[in-house]
Amino acid sequence: MSASASNDQDTAAEALPAPLTAIASVILSSALVAIGNGLMFAFIPVRLGAEGLPPTWAGLILTGLSAGGMAGCFLTGRMVNRVGHARAFMTFSALIILSNVAVGVTVDPWLWIVARVLYGFAISGLFIVAQSWLNDVVENDIRGRVTATFYMSYIVGLGIGSYLLAFIDAMTNAAPVLAVAFAAVSIIPVGLTRLRTPPPPPIASIALRRAWAISPVGLAGMLAVGGLSMMVAGFAPIHATAIGFGKNDVALLLLAMPLGTLIVQLPLGWVSDRTDRRYVLVAASGIVIGAGLLATGADGSVFWWMIVVYMMWSGATESIYSISSAHANDRAEKGDLVVLASTMLFAWSLSGFLIPGMATALTAIVGTGAFIVIAIVIALAFGSFVLWRLTQTQAVPVAESGDFAPLSAHTPPAAELAFAPADEGPSRSR
């Protein structure tokens, strides 16, 4: 067989749709990583509390994680350009393992901050690589279903991992060891996958003015939800531990909150496809405010009531994230999608880094309940802004809007937010 014929066969093979089993391998790897990640999210504040350390340390560790995540959002593209998707995925998995090992070595808050910075960088990069890989090989007719499955499997994995703490002695290193095991096993499906490796993409640019001109509500939504997601999901286990709930209670709370994402986000997303999405964003902001007010009185109440409140709180936060993204895309021209998405990634990352730092500083002064007040203020400001925008511009006709896709505020926005497709060329700010 001639070399040209062989090349033609390789090109034809690459053009074929990706087998579902190969797609499932990337989704399975991400879900396995999520289980270990959820376990560590529950373990760290519980262990710090059991060691008698003040909750400020847990807040600093969370802020460090956010800082690492922000770096990962903007360095991942360069790594993929250098070594490709598969090697980058495995490198990020190795860094997650290293981070978990460092947590298991000793209870040293300073070491744990460094370890979680490394984890934030790695999980952000791993998530972006996984989704960009899927986006490249999945056909348009199933892209929405694959993306939804990818996000939901990750969310469910986080909840399952958190609940594993109920069966583990938090005063031992069993949790970090299990997290290492899940991260190591997650490499196997990707190592055996038959998915073709996408070509290295050029890196997208950031244009705040252009993104604001396209969708002020979408950009504001990312600025709001980057901090909101860290307030609700990140500080919930810290606060629960500080007010005296045991590890089993914390594990159950962190299992229930992803369930709230499904219960609240999916119906709100369905409604947003059939009306002006901004009305739904106002409603979601109202739920965040109401749940936050209820959370201020839930500390001394029956634990099951606290779970219900936090489920609604988490679900409404996730809804702001996904509906803001959909609203922005509705108003963007095709040529603007890349620069809009990369700018929204920047807004999400910046908020997710700065606001946890603010909450940590206030925690040292007024206690862990500070995060509840910050979350309420953010939701109130965003909801008021959206109400004002409703008086300034007309809605996108329902027939011209895209379909809602469930997204998770625990993870970086879509892979297009880090990479510009090769056929788009350099993005422009108009």
Side-chain angles (χ1 to χ4, degrees):
M1 181 181 295
S2 66
S4 61
S6 176
N7 291 336
D8 290 342
Q9 284 189 352
D10 291 341
T11 302
E14 289 184 356
L16 293 175
L20 290 180
T21 52
I23 295 171
S25 66
V26 175
I27 294 176
L28 176 60
S29 288
S30 300
L32 288 169
V33 170
I35 294 174
N37 295 346
L39 177 57
M40 294 301 285
F41 269 112
F43 168 75
I44 287 176
V46 169
R47 181 63 182 270
L48 290 174
E51 296 285 347
L53 292 166
T56 306
W57 281 110
L60 287 171
I61 291 170
L62 182 64
T63 304
L65 187 155
S66 301
M70 186 174 182
C73 287
F74 298 103
L75 295 178
T76 298
R78 292 176 174 81
M79 286 189 63
V80 173
N81 273 321
R82 187 176 183 86
V83 301
H85 284 68
R87 287 177 179 150
F89 189 100
M90 294 179 187
T91 298
F92 289 131
S93 296
L95 293 178
I96 290 174
I97 291 172
L98 181 60
S99 168
N100 294 336
V101 168
V103 172
V105 168
T106 183
V107 182
D108 182 344
W110 289 110
L111 176 62
W112 284 19
I113 290 175
V114 174
R116 296 304 275 177
V117 168
L118 182 62
Y119 161 80
F121 171 77
I123 191 58
S124 177
L126 184 144
F127 196 91
I128 291 174
V129 168
Q131 192 183 354
S132 68
W133 201 345
L134 290 175
N135 280 342
D136 180 79
V137 300
V138 171
E139 300 299 317
N140 288 336
D141 58 340
I142 64 169
R143 187 182 308 276
R145 281 170 287 171
V146 170
T147 299
T149 301
F150 177 75
Y151 273 101
M152 290 303 105
S153 64
Y154 189 87
I155 292 171
V156 171
L158 285 175
I160 292 173
S162 298
Y163 192 60
L164 285 179
L165 186 65
F167 307 97
I168 295 172
D169 184 354
M171 298 307 294
T172 69
N173 290 332
V177 169
L178 273 178
V180 166
F182 278 111
V185 173
S186 73
I187 299 175
I188 297 174
V190 168
L192 298 177
T193 186
R194 296 172 57 206
L195 280 181
R196 66 179 183 271
T197 300
I203 299 170
S205 61
I206 297 170
L208 288 170
R209 288 185 179 179
R210 180 58 190 155
W212 180 263
I214 294 169
S215 178
V217 169
L219 184 59
M222 287 298 161
L223 282 170
V225 83
L228 268 178
S229 62
M230 283 298 176
M231 291 301 93
V232 177
F235 277 85
I238 298 172
H239 182 58
T241 301
I243 61 178
F245 288 105
K247 72 177 183 68
N248 291 0
D249 292 332
V250 173
L252 184 59
L253 178 65
L254 293 183
L255 172 65
M257 288 173 67
L259 180 59
T261 296
L262 302 178
I263 293 173
V264 178
Q265 182 178 181
L266 293 179
L268 286 183
W270 183 86
V271 173
S272 77
D273 277 343
R274 289 155 178 80
T275 186
D276 188 337
R277 297 193 201 273
R278 292 174 296 178
Y279 288 114
V280 185
L281 286 172
V282 171
S285 299
I287 296 174
V288 172
I289 294 168
L293 293 172
L294 290 173
T296 60
D299 295 350
S301 61
V302 177
F303 183 64
W304 285 102
W305 171 241
M306 185 176 179
I307 285 181
V308 171
V309 170
Y310 275 71
M311 286 175 65
M312 297 299 293
W313 206 12
S314 175
T317 299
E318 300 283 344
S319 299
I320 291 175
Y321 178 84
S322 52
I323 297 172
S324 293
S325 178
H327 174 77
N329 288 332
D330 290 343
R331 293 179 174 270
E333 300 293 336
K334 183 178 179 181
D336 290 322
L337 287 175
V338 171
V339 68
L340 172 66
S342 60
T343 304
M344 290 176 71
L345 170 62
F346 172 77
W348 175 86
S349 302
L350 182 65
S351 176
F353 167 61
L354 294 179
I355 294 179
M358 182 193 309
T360 300
L362 288 177
T363 294
I365 300 172
V366 301
T368 55
F371 87 100
I372 299 176
V373 177
I374 294 175
I376 292 173
V377 170
I378 293 172
L380 180 61
F382 176 65
S384 300
F385 175 75
V386 178
L387 280 172
W388 176 73
R389 289 298 301 173
L390 280 166
T391 67
Q392 303 299 306
T393 58
Q394 296 295 319
V396 174
V398 173
E400 298 178 12
S401 64
D403 292 331
F404 166 85
L407 301 175
S408 170
H410 298 302
T411 52
E416 290 90 345
L417 310 194
F419 299 134
D423 58 356
E424 290 281 342
S427 57
R428 296 178 298 167
S429 180
R430 297 182 293 174

